[in-house]
Structure formats: C-alpha cells, structure tokens
Amino acid sequence: MKKILSIVLIASVLLGACKKEAAEEETDVVLIGAGIMSATLGTMMKELDPKLKINIYERLDAVAAESSDAWNNAGTGHSALAELNYTPEMPDGSIDIHKAIAINEQFEVSKQFWAYLVQQKKLPAAHTFINNVPHMSFVWGDENTVYLKKRYQALQKNVLFKGMEYSENYDSLARWMPLVMKGRSRTQKVAATHMDIGTDVNFGNLTRGMISALKNAEGVKVALNHEVKTMKRNADSTWMVTVVDRATKKERNIKAKFVFIGAGGGALRLLQKSGIPEGKGFGGFPVSGEWMVCHNDAVIAQHIAKVYGKAGVGSPPMSVPHLDTRVINGKKALLFGPYAGFSSKFLKQGSYLDLTRSITLKNIGPMMSAGLDNIPLTKYLVGQVMQSDEERLKALQEYYPEAKAADWKLETAGQRVQIIKKDKEHGGILQFGTEVVTASDGSLSALLGASPGASTSVDIMLSLLKKCFPGRVASAEWQQKFKQMIPSYGKKLADNVNLANQVREADSKALGLKYFVIQP
C-alpha cells in the first residue's frame, strides 16, 4: 500500500509540474510593460503585420503609470535644441555636436511616426500629447557665455539647427523668458539661445493613445495588474512566460515567439531572469528625481519655454537643471529641477529591495568598479539628498530670481535606473542613455536605461526590429510600410535640406506645430 501511495504521489507531482509548464495560450508577441516603449513597438509591429497576435502585460492597474507618466518623465521632447550635455566642449576648445545631431534626427523620426498615426486616426488629436514650447539654453559668466556662443556657431552649420537665435542682450532675453530675467542684474554676463519650434510631449497621453488603439485591434490583449514572474526559453527558441494576476494570484503560462522587456526600471531583473548570455554582467544604479512645482497660476502664465542650464560638476545628465513649461491634460504647468536623489527602488512603485535583488555574481564586479570610478557622482547624490528647502529654493532662484517659496511645492518625480556594464579597461562603467540587449536568435530583447529614451523611442524600436527580424525588415513589404510610416526612412535629414523641409512641413501640419523653411 505504501508503494502504491508513493507512486501516486510521485505521479501527481510530475503531472502537476507538467501542467504548470504547459502553455495555456500561444501568441506571437509578448510585450512586458505598458509604457511608451512597448506601446511604440506594439503599434509598429501591428502596422507592419496586422495578423500578429500581441499580448501586453502591465504590473500596475493603469497604462503609462511609471516613467512614461507626464509628472514622472524628465525628458519631454528631447531634441538636443537646448540640452547642453549633448554638446560637450573638447580639450581643444571645439564643440562636439555629433550626439546633438543624432538625437535631433531621432526625434524627427518620432514625429513622423506620430504624424502618421494621427492621420490614420490611431492617435487622438495631436494637441493632447504634443505642443509647441520654445527650447532655450541659458548660461551666465564669461566662460559659459563663450561656450554657448561656440555651441551656437557649431550647430548653425547643420541643417537641423537652422533658425536658432543667439543673444547676450538683456532686453532680448527678457522677451524670451521674462521670469528668468526679472530681478536679475543688468551687469551680469548672460547669454541664451532660442528655438521657437521646440516641443513639449506628454508621453503619458501619447502612450495611452497608442495602447487604446491597440486594444481595439484584432488579436491584441492588454492585461493590467498582471506581472511577469518568470521566462524560460524553449528548445524551438520560443518562450514560456509565466504571468500572475496580482488580484487573484492565478498564474498562466503563455507561449510566445518573441518577448520584449520594456518594463522601465523593472527591465533589468526580468532580463536577468531570462537567462540569456547577452544579459549577464549588466547592473543598474537607481537615481530618483524630485521637482519644484509651481502652484501660482499668475507665475505660470508668465513663462512659456524650456530653459536648460549647465549641469553641476559630477552630476548625471538627467539632472541638468531646467525651468520647464509643460502642457499636462490641456493645462500649463511650470516645473524646476530635477533635483537628484537616491532610492534603492528600481521603480517608483517598486520595492526597496530592488537594488539588492539585482546584484549577481556576474555583475557585482562591474558594479563595484563603476562605483569606484564615479565617486564624484556619489558625493553629488549625497549632497542632493541632504539639501534643505532653503538650498533648493536658492537653486531655483538662479533661474528665477524672484521665486517665492510659497509658490512652489516639492514633488517626487520618476525613478531611473542607469546602466552599469562590463568594460575591459575599467572593469565596469556607468552608462547614461539607453541600450537594447538582444538574444542571439532575436527571440527576446530588453531595453535598459533612461533619457532620452522616450523622445527617441521610434528610432530605438526601428533598430530593435532590424536586430530581431532582419529578414522581414529587408522584405519589400516591410520596407514599403516603413517608408509610409516614416517618409525619411533610410535617409538623413541632416544631409538633405529639401527632404528636411518637406518632412518638417508635413509633420508640423499633421501635428499642429510651428515650422519654418530652412534656407540652403
């Protein structure tokens, strides 16, 4: 009898294990995270192949509730028109504008795709997610003024930055940014650049618009409050994805041909769980952010610009100070910051154990090396965390001299995870920006990193598709569709004045934005 019971017990366990591993549903694509990246990739793939079955899983109960949300996202319309960290001064005194050109080109690609979706009625009215807000760079002091003028002169040599204005005149600057100049001494050495065609993008609304259209498409499922727990690659290069309903605690196994991990700060842990060799050695360093948010409508009404300054020594690029006009749900808002901080969470609504859980034998070496090489950054973050309300107000008053504490309130912004990766020379390096990590067979891809990710999301997803689906990308059918969605596909606007004029005019009309004709 005991032997029979043992056999029955073993059989039950084995049957249970087999049942757990069996797929309860099969799909073509699983997208993890309902943020701007998954929304962009899902929308693009559905346009390229309307027959695709796509499952989107989001651990929260709302779309775009983490980094893509307007109040959490520090990069609205990053196009390198004003961000000084994209144009570093070289040892010989010259200004390197290569990164600025690349980012501006990528943002133009994003605008083309959004314009296409608006025209196809697959996004709501453009003003709900993109609006014109001038982009400005502002500096003070002799050294910084010399730098900004050299930057302006270097950028003017490129087609994409034609139309930018430069001035050191107090009255001109006062017209561009009244709050910044009001109460400022006329004897102070100041300079600014001004680009009237800059934009503010509400990536939360943009994401919700794309996800809404996907939900209404045949073969697409969007499951909120569902968390991906594990992923296992099958022998045929498909993936068994285990998803749990956070409300009922019920698990389901989904078999997918392709998996994209676009879970923001949560992407690193999921990449590690996938077990792909390409993901080994990556680590993450979380950096939180805070905003000073204006609550005085009279003050908000006096400013309409994104005014970027220079980052402090040792500070991360995401901490470049800016006095920032936003358009959130149809209403103007005014923010200053971001003030950097530290939290061990990888997501705003994550766990304080996220950092600890991400440390493995494969990445602990690179993480320690990167830490030793970035002591100034550590000191900067400690200083930011220890700042008093008076010190934060003083930082704001450098950009808005007459700022009053009563008009502003400190609010928590989003959580970012900067990439740490292996490096032959240093052991490990802290990398700013975004990086796509892809399995060798193209069956899984993950996006790590932060700014300027959202603004360049379309270009990032184009690169991902080339890596994961090279054959289909090269096909005549997909090539034709790419050119329909993105008219400049395969070409560079920076090298073609006529094409740049043509594309900007078409996009601007579709999106309700300003534009001007670039003179050769």
Side-chain angles (χ1 to χ4, degrees), residues 288-341:
S288 61
E290 294 178 316
W291 291 105
M292 291 282 278
V293 180
C294 185
H295 292 275
N296 185 328
D297 289 341
V299 172
I300 296 170
Q302 296 177 59
H303 184 81
I304 181 164
K306 293 179 180 293
V307 179
Y308 279 74
K310 291 194 76 173
V313 177
S315 63
M318 65 168 287
S319 296
V320 174
H322 46 295
L323 188 62
D324 193 350
T325 294
R326 300 284 183 92
V327 183
I328 301 176
N329 300 325
K331 185 179 179 181
K332 276 180 62 180
L334 183 60
L335 291 70
F336 177 77
Y339 298 92

Side-chain angles (χ1 to χ4, degrees), residues 280-283 362-373 420-430:
K280 297 186 185 302
F282 279 94
K362 295 290 185 180
N363 68 17
I364 190 169
M367 290 180 71
M368 290 179 66
S369 296
L372 291 172
D373 285 346
I420 294 175
K421 57 189 295 187
K422 288 182 178 179
D423 181 76
K424 291 182 179 180
E425 182 179 348
H426 299 278
I429 56 172
L430 183 65

Side-chain angles (χ1 to χ4, degrees), residues 20 23 113 122-123 138 142 187 189 207 247 269 299 395 423 431 434 439 466 478 489 497:
K20 187 176 181 181
F113 185 58
K122 293 179 179 178
L123 274 178
F138 172 66
D142 293 334
T187 62
K189 184 72 172 178
T207 301
R269 287 287 291 127
V299 172
D423 181 76
Q431 177 175 303
T434 53
K466 289 177 183 177
W478 276 32
Y489 180 78
V497 175

